[in-house]
Structure formats: structure tokens, C-alpha cells
């Protein structure tokens, strides 16, 4: 979807027919960030990610500086999410 409508990641179009062959996944992305501080907000109704798969990956990748929040909402950056982000940044 992102490669079709926004041209943010045009090379992802090469994987349109086989998305499972994209050369990274959540666990690899988290491993690349670890051990730096990370705030993950995972909405339950994200249209681009399966919440249970994301939560499983996060549970397996836990480290001291990982802060994980969830919400029963679609993907959004409303005032509640902004407040969580600001509080997390201030805690660093």
C-alpha cells in the first residue's frame, strides 16, 4: 500500500506479489535498534500490522529500554498518543 499511494517506499513494490519475502521483519528491526531506548505504540486495529504478531515479537525481544504501549484504536496520533510520547521523551 505505501509503495502504491505515497511513494514512500517504492522498492517495496518489488515484493507486491510475495510480501513474505521482504528482506526484514519485526524481529530484525528491533534487533537493529537494541539496546537503544525505544517507544513502541501498537494499536490493536493497525491496518498495516497484525497486532498479535507484533506483540509476540515484542515479548521475545524485551530489553530494559523498550517501552511498549497498546490501545484498542486504529492507527492514529491523537492527543493521548502525543502525551505518551512526550512523557517518554522527558523520561530519557
Amino acid at each position: 500500500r505505501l509503495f502504491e499511494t505515497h511513494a514512500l517506499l517504492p522498492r517495496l513494490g518489488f515484493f507486491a506479489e510475495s510480501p513474505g519475502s521482504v528482506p526484514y521483519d519485526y524481529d530484525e528491526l528491533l534487533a537493529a535498534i537494541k539496546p537503544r531506548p525505544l517507544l513502541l505504540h501498537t494499536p490493536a486495529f493497525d491496518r498495516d500490522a497484525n497486532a498479535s504478531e507484533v506483540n509476540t515479537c515484542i515479548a521475545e525481544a524485551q530489553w530494559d529500554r523498550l517501552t511498549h504501549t497498546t490501545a484498542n484504536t486504529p492507527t492514529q496520533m491523537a492527543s493521548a498518543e502525543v502525551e505518551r510520547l512526550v512523557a517518554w521523551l522527558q523520561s530519557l
Side-chain angles (χ1 to χ4, degrees):
R1 182 181 62 80
L2 290 175
F3 70 89
E4 292 174 335
T5 57
H6 300 292
L8 294 175
L9 302 166
R11 291 186 180 182
L12 282 180
F14 295 133
F15 303 96
E17 298 299 318
S18 57
S21 63
V22 173
Y24 79 90
D25 210 344
Y26 300 121
D27 58 341
E28 294 169 341
L29 186 60
L30 292 176
I33 297 169
K34 193 176 183 176
R36 294 171 291 214
L38 174 64
L39 171 65
L40 283 176
H41 176 73
T42 56
F45 305 109
D46 188 316
R47 67 180 178 188
D48 297 314
N50 178 305
S52 64
E53 290 177 5
V54 172
N55 291 335
T56 298
C57 183
I58 291 167
E60 292 172 358
Q62 288 291 327
W63 70 89
D64 293 344
R65 301 181 81 189
L66 171 65
T67 302
H68 179 223
T69 64
T70 61
N72 286 326
T73 63
T75 303
Q76 63 184 7
M77 193 67 176
S79 58
E81 288 79 19
V82 171
E83 289 172 11
R84 283 189 207 110
L85 172 61
V86 169
W88 179 78
L89 289 170
Q90 290 174 336
S91 74
L92 294 179

